[in-house]
């Protein structure tokens, strides 16, 4: 009887594995084709990509974990660079420089509130710092850059990344809906997304659903904010590294070189006349590539990662996010900060 049950279980696992190996590429192809169906479906593509990846991974398990991690990392970089071909560098510079003041204030305020919440909840310092600065700057990129500096252990890193990921996935659905409820302009929505959503991929995904101008503003402001990873990492490492755990980090800091690529692409699109038409084509391809990127990001969320998300770190992440997103929305809505 036990042998029969074992055989049936093995057969079921085999079927699930084969099914997942077929479903993952099939769904990815369908998602890439969605923008060609109609305009309304195209606006939903980024959100559908993330949720499809999550559901497939949790139900069947990801049969291609190494491939999806590689695609999510590398394709995101090239997608962001490709989006630069659809931007005007003069506009990029104007938006970037105009936002220095509220960017510095926002990072400092987020850091103070986030660390205070972590202290109240008695969260481990490594986790508290990673969640806080992941929220303040650029989500997973900031966590990856800061982790070796503060010598965070692998569990702290995985928990922080899982929390940021879940909030990112939520933002793809929540932000566009709230933007319409508050009747935000495309410029306002792009700015709000860039200042309130953790990762660049989700900022782009949410602003893509709202419109072309929202995408331009959101991408520009978020990339300008991502530049603060370097000085913040140095400052936090200098102030806090000796107070944190001494275990080795499993994450290698990744320098945000893609920002320079984005600026170079925008410069070509702005000052090379013949590059405008092919640049728009590259931008279009990059938007489709981003859909595949978001699907792979969703597929990288495992059941194990969800189990590692304790309730108190999650409370810290969501409370900090709600506070900062609400404050930022109020400031934008009443024109206290603008593009």
């Amino acid at each position: 009887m036990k042998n029969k049950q074992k055989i049936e279980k093995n057969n079921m696992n085999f079927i699930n594995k084969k099914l997942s190996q077929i479903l993952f590429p099939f769904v990815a192809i369908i998602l890439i084709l969605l923008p060609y169906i109609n305009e309304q479906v195209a606006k939903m593509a980024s959100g559908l990509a993330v949720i499809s990846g999550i559901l497939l991974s949790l139900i069947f398990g990801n049969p291609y974990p190494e491939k999806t991690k590689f695609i999510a990392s590398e394709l995101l970089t090239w997608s962001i660079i490709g989006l630069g071909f659809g931007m005007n560098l003069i506009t990029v510079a104007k938006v970037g420089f105009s936002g220095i003041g509220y960017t510095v204030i926002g990072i400092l305020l987020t850091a103070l509130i986030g660390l205070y919440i972590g202290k109240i909840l008695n969260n481990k310092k490594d986790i508290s710092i990673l969640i806080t600065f992941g929220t303040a700057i650029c989500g997973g990129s900031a966590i990856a850059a800061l982790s070796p500096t503060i010598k965070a252990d692998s569990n702290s890193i995985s928990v922080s990344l899982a929390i940021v990921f879940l909030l990112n996935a939520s933002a793809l659905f929540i932000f566009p809906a709230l933007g319409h409820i508050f009747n935000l302009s495309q410029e306002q929505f792009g700015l709000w997304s860039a200042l309130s959503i953790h990762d660049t991929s989700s900022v782009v995904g949410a602003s893509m659903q709202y419109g072309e101008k929202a995408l331009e503003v959101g991408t520009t402001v978020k990339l300008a904010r991502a530049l603060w990873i370097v000085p913040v990492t140095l400052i936090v490492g200098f102030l806090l590294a000796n107070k944190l755990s001494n275990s080795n980090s499993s994450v290698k800091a990744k320098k945000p070189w893609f920002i320079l690529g984005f600026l170079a692409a925008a410069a070509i699109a702005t000052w090379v006349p013949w590059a405008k038409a092919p640049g728009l084509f590259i931008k279009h391809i990059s938007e489709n590539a981003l859909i595949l990127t978001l699907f792979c990001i969703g597929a990288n969320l495992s059941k194990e990662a969800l189990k590692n998300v304790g309730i108190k770190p999650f409370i810290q992440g969501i409370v900090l996010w709600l506070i900062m997103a609400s404050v930022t929305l109020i400031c934008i809505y009443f024109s206290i900060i603008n593009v």
Side-chain angles (χ1 to χ4, degrees), residues 58-139:
L58 295 181
I59 294 171
F60 298 103
N62 184 353
Y64 310 107
E66 297 302 321
K67 289 183 175 65
T68 53
K69 285 179 183 177
F70 177 80
I71 291 172
S73 175
E74 298 302 319
L75 197 56
L76 174 61
T77 296
W78 290 106
S79 297
I80 296 299
I81 293 173
L83 290 175
F85 284 101
M87 306 290 180
N88 184 293
L89 187 59
I90 297 173
T91 302
V92 170
K94 181 181 177 182
V95 172
F97 284 115
S98 66
I100 290 177
Y102 56 69
T103 296
V104 173
I105 293 172
I107 291 173
L108 289 174
L109 186 61
T110 305
L112 291 172
I113 295 174
L115 294 175
Y116 181 69
I117 293 172
K119 186 175 182 180
I120 291 175
L121 293 171
N122 198 30
N123 283 336
K124 187 178 176 183
K125 280 189 176 180
D126 297 38
I127 294 177
S128 181
I129 290 170
L130 293 179
I131 292 173
T132 296
F133 287 96
T135 304
I137 308 174
C138 195

Side-chain angles (χ1 to χ4, degrees), residues 14 33 36 54 81 83 154-156 212 229 244 286 293 295:
F14 177 78
L33 294 176
Y36 298 99
I54 293 173
I81 293 173
L83 290 175
S154 59
N155 186 61
S156 297
E212 285 292 320
I229 289 175
L244 300 170
S286 298
T293 302
F295 172 75

Side-chain angles (χ1 to χ4, degrees), residues 11-314:
N11 288 338
M12 185 61 67
N13 290 337
F14 177 78
I15 293 171
N16 283 340
K17 184 177 180 180
K18 290 298 180 183
L19 185 60
S20 66
Q21 288 174 345
I22 297 170
L23 277 175
F24 270 76
F26 177 76
V27 172
I29 292 170
I30 295 298
L31 288 166
I32 293 172
L33 294 176
L34 280 180
Y36 298 99
I37 297 175
N38 61 54
E39 188 176 341
Q40 291 303 316
V41 175
K43 291 180 179 180
M44 299 167 57
S46 56
L48 289 173
V50 173
I51 197 66
S52 298
I54 293 173
L55 290 175
L56 285 177
S57 180
L58 295 181
I59 294 171
F60 298 103
N62 184 353
Y64 310 107
E66 297 302 321
K67 289 183 175 65
T68 53
K69 285 179 183 177
F70 177 80
I71 291 172
S73 175
E74 298 302 319
L75 197 56
L76 174 61
T77 296
W78 290 106
S79 297
I80 296 299
I81 293 173
L83 290 175
F85 284 101
M87 306 290 180
N88 184 293
L89 187 59
I90 297 173
T91 302
V92 170
K94 181 181 177 182
V95 172
F97 284 115
S98 66
I100 290 177
Y102 56 69
T103 296
V104 173
I105 293 172
I107 291 173
L108 289 174
L109 186 61
T110 305
L112 291 172
I113 295 174
L115 294 175
Y116 181 69
I117 293 172
K119 186 175 182 180
I120 291 175
L121 293 171
N122 198 30
N123 283 336
K124 187 178 176 183
K125 280 189 176 180
D126 297 38
I127 294 177
S128 181
I129 290 170
L130 293 179
I131 292 173
T132 296
F133 287 96
T135 304
I137 308 174
C138 195
S141 298
I143 290 172
L146 193 58
S147 295
T149 304
I150 65 172
K151 301 178 181 178
D153 60 68
S154 59
N155 186 61
S156 297
I157 298 165
S158 63
V159 168
S160 303
L161 288 173
I163 291 169
V164 165
F165 175 85
L166 290 170
L167 296 179
N168 267 317
S170 302
L172 281 167
F173 299 94
I174 296 171
F175 271 62
L178 289 176
H180 290 299
I181 290 173
F182 288 99
N183 198 29
L184 298 180
S185 68
Q186 289 200 29
E187 290 83 356
Q188 287 177 318
F189 182 82
L191 180 59
W192 183 43
S193 297
L195 298 181
S196 303
I197 299 177
H198 300 76
D199 279 326
T200 304
S201 58
S202 292
V203 172
V204 176
S207 56
M208 274 175 63
Q209 299 177 56
Y210 213 78
E212 285 292 320
K213 192 64 180 178
L215 175 62
E216 180 179 333
V217 172
T219 304
T220 301
V221 174
K222 190 61 179 179
L223 292 179
R225 195 178 184 88
L227 288 170
W228 287 87
I229 289 175
V230 176
V232 168
T233 298
L234 292 173
I235 293 169
V236 172
F238 177 77
L239 294 176
L240 301 174
N242 292 331
K243 300 179 182 180
L244 300 170
S245 84
N246 293 319
S247 55
N248 293 325
S249 169
S250 62
V251 171
K252 183 179 180 181
K254 184 176 181 180
K255 297 178 176 63
W257 295 118
F258 63 89
I259 298 172
L260 297 179
F262 172 86
L263 294 175
I268 293 171
T270 304
W271 289 306
V272 180
W274 60 264
K276 187 171 183 179
L280 290 175
F281 176 74
I282 293 173
K283 180 197 173 190
H284 178 69
I285 295 298
S286 298
E287 289 176 345
N288 286 338
L290 186 71
I291 293 172
L292 177 58
T293 302
L294 291 168
F295 172 75
C296 289
I297 289 173
N300 289 333
L301 181 65
S302 64
K303 292 179 181 178
E304 290 74 21
L306 283 177
K307 289 177 182 177
N308 285 331
V309 180
I311 186 64
K312 290 198 293 184
F314 187 78

